[in-house]
């Protein structure tokens, strides 16, 4: 790694890392081998943290030094192209917060909760192993490649490096999938905030707090990152506490918004988050949100260590083998990997890693902290979500997550349906569980978010407040989920603007210049109106809008990861690094096998619970017979389901074919590169020497002169 001093390992370091490795191995042994006996959730946390530490210390450093050959003497786009709007040298701590907040959305919260249907072992293994060898690698490598190409978007890199045919297919697939992902994430936020004055007030207050933090670090106290962080966190905590006061005050009506009003607010906010200078709103708000996200997850981990709850889910359930689970249909392979999604590998992350972050990073060596490190943090969020789901009684878990068509409308019918699945929970226990969190019912509260909130309330109330505080912690968790997810929508909108400008720049050069105001405003408006349309239609029609495309979320996200890994592998081979191509090539092979298998089954399966076209045929036949099947409530709803299933099936096939086209075109480019005596030309930006000297890790190392940039590009004095 050029430009960074390498320290030789000493005896103390060897002993420490040996201890970490042994502790992690013991934890893995307990998690993997325990059968028919109680196992504490603490073992999952120990296995995760031990694995993360080893991976970051050794594997991530190996990739940075040997594979990518990061060079801190080389100026990054943030330094070379600094325009005070999109390109801005940003303090590594602030950027880590922004990047983590931008990538950590609904996936790591609800995916593992739903995957708990298969048992705690498959989910735990994929979340940890998958992030180490696939998810974090993708994020880090894509961030590096985009940084070396002036912050180009993933789709544009595909076009530049793979060629016009594969690149055009990638541009279409990436932008289409991104709009779907943004609309799905926004829908989750709307559902969480609708009729919730506490959550709406607290989240609204993060906007002026973030603007104040941005101005404080740029104008009032340049470079004072720690000082600004203390003030920002204090104001954030005040906003959260004040939200509880607002909820029980006359102001509650003002902040109790309808879903339609929330959609309008989110579209307006998304537009301004996309066009305002990144230091003013987006980066400080994401940084601020990270304190809330990691603080809550950290407290949850501490709660697990204190309460030591027992995992009540089996290591591997019967549904992993039969594929007949009520939460989602399908066998362990491939659907547990699709369902967990962002906690282990996420294509959406590649959009952020080739969007805002490469335009803000100060030094190449920081890709390890920001790209690899932030993904490990998100993976730990997924582990904690899995723990929260698996400590619940299985009867309650399936009563929460099974569809209403299976459970019925009463606690009695739900109890009988759960018993038919092989689990036990009485009607009285279901009523008591709902009353404990001040909900009318917990039956068929699908989607994963309510289950996570119930699990978090169980852990928190065990440590703080007892049963009397369950309702408080439950509603706090619902608000936390909304805050957690919203940061992906605003950052994603800005990234969508970059992507659209890159694409249109192929047709007319001025549109590709991110600093050109008409292009900036126009592209931002197109992106927010695109996902805003699907969101608006979704809140007004339970079977329309984004609800129509929701089933594509998991597969589309993983297909996006396949495109990102294809681009990464192609560039490594083209640049003469064939011997290291396995670093991204192996995750690509696995992800392609998983996602294309899942796509095939979703398209061609004869089971109506799984196959889109099988579901279409079932509902079409029912319409001819005059029958109404759930979730439809009338014949118009039945026709909507037929249309939705057709659209989902066609889009699933289209996305799969586009990805196959990208991979096939890339394979030809790689073959040509291998046969060539010289590395093929790439679009890497010319070398320019850097004048910034800043730490590559989270903390300053001895002997490094801190003359880097804070969020505003001024000297770092914290």
């Amino acid at each position: 790694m050029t430009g960074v001093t390498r320290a030789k390992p000493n005896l103390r370091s060897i002993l420490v890392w040996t201890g970490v490795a042994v502790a992690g191995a013991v934890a893995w042994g307990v998690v993997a081998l325990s059968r028919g006996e109680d196992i504490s959730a603490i073992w999952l946390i120990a296995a995760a943290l031990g694995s993360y530490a080893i991976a970051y210390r050794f594997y991530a450093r190996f990739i940075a030094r040997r594979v990518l050959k990061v060079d801190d003497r080389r100026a990054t786009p943030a330094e070379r192209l600094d325009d005070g709007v999109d390109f801005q040298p940003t303090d590594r701590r602030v950027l880590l917060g922004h990047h983590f907040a931008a990538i950590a959305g609904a996936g790591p919260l609800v995916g593992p909760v739903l995957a708990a249907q298969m048992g705690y072992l498959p989910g735990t293994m994929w979340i940890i192993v998958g992030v180490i060898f696939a998810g974090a690698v993708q994020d880090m490598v894509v961030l590096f490649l985009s940084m070396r190409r002036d912050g180009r978007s993933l789709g544009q890199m595909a076009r530049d490096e793979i060629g016009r045919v594969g690149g055009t297919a990638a541009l279409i697939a990436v932008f289409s999938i991104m709009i779907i992902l943004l609309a799905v994430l926004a829908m989750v936020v709307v559902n969480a905030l609708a009729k919730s004055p506490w959550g709406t007030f607290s989240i609204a207050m993060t906007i002026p707090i973030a603007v104040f933090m941005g101005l404080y670090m740029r104008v009032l106290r340049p470079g004072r990152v720690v000082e600004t962080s203390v003030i920002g966190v204090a104001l954030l905590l005040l906003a959260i506490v004040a939200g509880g006061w607002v909820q029980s005050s006359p102001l509650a009506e003002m902040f109790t918004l309808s879903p339609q009003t929330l959609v309008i607010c989110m579209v307006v906010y998304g537009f301004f988050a996309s066009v305002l200078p990144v230091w003013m709103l987006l980066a400080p708000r994401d940084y601020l949100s990270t304190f809330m996200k990691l603080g809550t997850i950290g407290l949850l981990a501490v709660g697990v260590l204190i309460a030591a709850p027992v995992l009540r889910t089996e290591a591997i359930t019967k549904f992993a083998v039969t594929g007949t689970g009520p939460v989602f249909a399908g066998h362990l392979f491939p659907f547990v990997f699709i369902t967990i999604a962002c906690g282990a590998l996420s294509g959406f992350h590649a959009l952020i890693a080739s969007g805002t972050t490469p335009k803000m990073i100060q030094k190449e060596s920081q890709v390890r902290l920001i790209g690899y490190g932030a993904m490990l943090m998100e993976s730990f969020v997924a582990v904690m979500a899995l723990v929260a789901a698996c400590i619940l009684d299985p009867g309650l878990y399936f009563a929460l997550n099974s569809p209403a068509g299976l459970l019925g409308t009463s606690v009695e019918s739900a109890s009988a349906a759960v018993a038919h699945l092989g689990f036990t929970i009485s009607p009285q226990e279901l009523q008591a569980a709902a009353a404990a969190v001040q909900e009318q019912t917990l039956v068929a509260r699908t989607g994963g978010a309510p289950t996570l909130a119930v699990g978090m309330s169980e852990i928190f109330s065990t440590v703080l407040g007892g049963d009397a505080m369950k309702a408080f912690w439950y509603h706090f968790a619902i608000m936390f989920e909304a805050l957690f997810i919203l940061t992906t929508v605003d950052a994603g909108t800005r990234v969508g603007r970059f992507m659209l400008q890159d694409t249109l720049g192929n047709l007319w050069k001025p549109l590709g210049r991110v600093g050109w105001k008409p292009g900036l405003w126009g592209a931002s408006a197109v992106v927010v109106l695109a996902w805003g349309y699907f969101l608006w239609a979704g809140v007004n029609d339970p079977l329309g809008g984004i609800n129509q495309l929701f089933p594509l979320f998991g597969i589309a996200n993983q297909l996006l990861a396949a495109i990102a890994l294809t681009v990464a592998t192609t560039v490594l081979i083209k640049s003469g690094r064939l011997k290291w191509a396995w670093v991204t090539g192996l995750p690509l092979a696995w992800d392609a096998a998983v996602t294309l298998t899942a796509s095939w089954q979703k398209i061609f399966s004869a089971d109506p619970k799984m196959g889109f076209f099988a579901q279409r045929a079932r509902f079409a036949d029912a319409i001819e017979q005059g029958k109404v099947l759930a979730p439809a409530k009338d014949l118009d709803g039945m026709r909507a389901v037929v249309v939705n299933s057709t659209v989902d099936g066609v889009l699933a096939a289209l996305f799969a074919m586009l990805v196959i086209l990208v991979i096939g075109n890339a394979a030809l480019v790689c073959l040509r590169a291998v046969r060539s005596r010289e590395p093929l030309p790439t679009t890497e930006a010319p070398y320019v020497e850097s004048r910034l000297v800043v730490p590559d890790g989270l903390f300053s190392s001895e002997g490094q002169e801190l003359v880097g940039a804070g969020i505003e590009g001024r000297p770092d004095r914290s």
Side-chain angles (χ1 to χ4, degrees):
M1 183 164 58
T2 310
V4 177
T5 304
R6 302 186 186 183
K8 294 183 179 181
N10 53 40
L11 180 60
R12 179 183 175 186
S13 175
I14 294 173
L15 291 176
V16 167
W17 287 109
T18 300
V20 171
V22 170
V26 170
W28 270 116
V30 174
V31 171
L33 301 178
S34 295
R35 294 291 186 278
E37 56 188 275
D38 292 340
I39 173 175
S40 172
I42 294 175
W43 290 111
L44 268 67
I45 295 178
L49 293 179
S51 300
Y52 297 154
I54 295 293
Y56 184 80
R57 173 63 176 81
F58 297 101
Y59 192 50
R61 187 169 67 164
F62 159 76
I63 295 173
R65 291 182 173 179
R66 302 291 297 277
V67 180
L68 303 180
K69 297 182 179 178
V70 297
D71 185 357
D72 278 350
R73 297 176 302 186
R74 187 186 189 112
T76 64
E79 181 181 356
R80 290 187 291 103
L81 306 175
D82 185 359
D83 61 4
V85 179
D86 295 313
F87 293 89
Q88 183 74 52
T90 302
D91 183 276
R92 66 207 177 280
R93 294 159 293 188
V94 177
L95 187 55
L96 175 65
H98 158 72
H99 187 75
F100 170 73
I103 65 174
L109 295 179
V110 301
V113 171
L114 302 179
Q117 169 182 263
M118 301 288 191
Y120 67 79
L121 185 57
T124 300
M125 292 183 66
W126 174 237
I127 290 170
I128 298 174
V129 176
V131 74
I132 289 172
F133 295 106
V137 172
Q138 172 208 256
D139 293 9
M140 178 181 178
V141 174
V142 170
L143 173 57
F144 175 82
L145 298 180
S146 178
M147 180 182 62
R148 282 283 180 97
R149 287 157 180 77
D150 291 341
R152 286 292 190 189
S153 66
L154 176 64
Q156 188 60 40
M157 284 197 295
R159 189 181 188 279
D160 292 342
E161 301 292 347
I162 295 177
R164 180 168 297 179
V165 176
T168 301
L171 283 168
I172 295 172
V174 169
F175 189 75
S176 302
I177 291 172
M178 183 171 199
I179 295 301
I180 293 174
L181 298 183
L182 287 175
V184 168
L185 294 171
M187 190 67 175
V188 176
V189 175
V190 169
N191 289 338
L193 292 183
K195 314 298 183 183
S196 173
W198 182 6
T200 302
F201 174 83
S202 299
I203 289 176
M205 288 302 101
T206 63
I207 297 174
I209 294 172
V211 172
F212 168 76
M213 291 174 66
L215 293 172
Y216 192 92
M217 282 190 283
R218 185 175 179 85
V219 180
L220 300 178
R221 299 277 286 174
R224 302 287 183 173
V225 177
V226 174
E227 184 177 307
T228 310
S229 302
V230 172
I231 297 173
V233 170
L235 292 174
L236 174 63
L237 293 175
L238 179 61
I240 294 171
V241 174
W245 299 337
V246 167
Q247 184 166 258
S248 56
S249 75
L251 293 174
E253 185 176 351
M254 180 188 303
F255 291 95
T256 303
L257 305 181
S258 67
Q260 290 79 6
T261 303
L262 284 169
V263 171
I264 295 172
C265 291
M266 289 184 65
V267 167
V268 172
Y269 167 72
F271 176 80
F272 282 105
S274 177
V275 301
L276 287 176
V278 70
W279 59 264
M280 182 180 291
L281 176 59
L282 186 65
R285 188 182 177 282
D286 287 351
Y287 178 58
L288 180 67
S289 299
T290 294
F291 284 101
M292 173 67 176
K293 292 182 176 186
L294 292 184
T296 301
I297 293 299
L299 288 175
L300 190 65
V302 171
V304 170
L305 294 177
I306 295 174
V310 172
L311 300 177
R312 305 182 71 178
T313 303
E314 296 177 86
I316 302 176
T317 69
K318 61 182 180 181
F319 302 123
V321 179
T322 64
T324 58
V327 181
F328 60 90
H331 294 82
L332 189 152
F333 181 88
F335 288 103
V336 75
F337 308 101
I338 296 293
T339 304
I340 286 176
C342 306
L345 173 64
S346 171
F348 181 80
H349 295 186
L351 303 182
I352 303 299
S354 61
T356 54
T357 307
K359 298 175 177 66
M360 300 161 69
I361 193 167
Q362 295 171 319
K363 286 293 178 184
E364 288 194 352
S365 58
Q366 292 174 357
V367 298
R368 179 184 173 206
L369 169 68
I370 295 166
Y372 202 94
M375 184 55 192
L376 292 182
M377 290 156 56
E378 177 168 356
S379 178
F380 187 65
V381 172
V383 169
M384 295 311 304
L386 184 67
V387 167
C390 291
I391 64 167
L392 296 177
D393 179 89
L396 178 58
Y397 171 85
F398 285 104
L400 274 159
N401 291 286
S402 298
L406 173 67
L407 295 174
T409 57
S410 67
V411 291
E412 289 79 13
S413 62
S415 175
V418 170
H420 184 70
L421 293 173
F423 306 98
T424 303
I425 188 167
S426 68
Q428 294 75 22
E429 288 172 325
L430 281 173
Q431 288 176 330
V437 295
Q438 295 180 3
E439 289 278 9
Q440 291 185 349
T441 182
L442 291 179
V443 173
R445 296 294 299 274
T446 56
T451 303
L452 176 62
V454 172
M456 290 176 65
S457 70
E458 286 285 341
I459 295 171
F460 280 138
S461 63
T462 302
V463 179
L464 296 171
D467 290 344
M469 289 290 288
K470 270 189 180 181
F472 170 84
W473 289 120
Y474 172 83
H475 291 284
F476 171 83
I478 294 293
M479 185 272 294
F480 160 75
E481 291 168 6
L483 174 65
F484 202 100
I485 298 166
L486 182 59
T487 52
T488 62
V489 177
D490 53 15
T493 299
R494 196 179 190 100
V495 171
R497 187 253 289 181
F498 293 148
M499 192 182 309
L500 184 58
Q501 286 190 269
D502 278 348
T503 303
L504 296 178
N506 294 312
L507 304 176
W508 189 41
K509 292 297 183 184
L511 290 173
R513 297 201 303 264
V514 294
W516 190 51
K517 298 300 182 184
L520 183 155
W521 296 331
S524 297
V526 169
V527 172
V528 295
L529 290 176
W531 62 255
Y533 164 77
F534 288 110
L535 181 60
W536 177 265
V539 300
N540 287 289
D541 181 2
L543 295 175
I546 193 55
N547 298 310
Q548 181 183 44
L549 304 176
F550 202 97
L552 294 173
F553 177 81
I555 290 178
N557 187 40
Q558 296 303 293
L559 287 172
L560 195 55
I563 294 176
L565 290 166
T566 299
V567 172
T569 305
T570 302
V571 175
L572 288 180
I573 294 175
K574 285 181 66 177
S575 59
R577 306 175 198 181
L578 176 61
K579 67 177 181 179
W580 303 124
W582 59 267
V583 171
T584 54
L586 290 179
L588 168 60
W590 172 258
D591 184 55
V594 167
T595 52
L596 293 177
T597 300
S599 297
W600 178 272
Q601 293 184 14
K602 295 296 288 185
I603 296 168
F604 296 108
S605 174
D607 183 356
K609 294 181 180 179
M610 182 185 303
F612 290 131
F613 291 116
Q615 183 185 63
R616 179 194 182 283
R618 177 172 179 247
F619 276 74
D621 291 343
I623 290 174
E624 292 181 359
Q625 299 171 22
K627 297 180 180 178
V628 176
L629 307 176
K633 297 181 180 179
D634 51 35
L635 287 178
D636 287 338
M638 292 287 289
R639 296 186 187 96
V641 172
V642 170
V643 172
N644 293 353
S645 300
T646 304
V647 171
D648 288 341
V650 170
L651 286 178
L654 175 63
F655 289 153
M657 288 189 291
L658 287 172
V659 170
I660 292 172
L661 181 60
V662 172
I663 294 175
N665 197 174
L668 294 176
V669 173
C670 292
L671 182 61
R672 190 165 66 248
V674 171
R675 290 178 174 178
S676 176
R677 294 183 178 181
E678 298 291 335
L680 296 182
T682 70
T683 55
E684 186 170 287
Y687 177 92
V688 175
E689 188 170 354
S690 173
R691 296 184 178 183
L692 289 178
V693 181
V694 293
D696 61 327
L698 190 60
F699 304 103
S700 304
S701 59
E702 189 175 346
Q704 283 184 307
E705 182 186 2
L706 297 183
V707 292
I711 188 172
E712 68 305 301
R714 305 290 182 83
D716 182 339
R717 299 191 180 105
S718 58

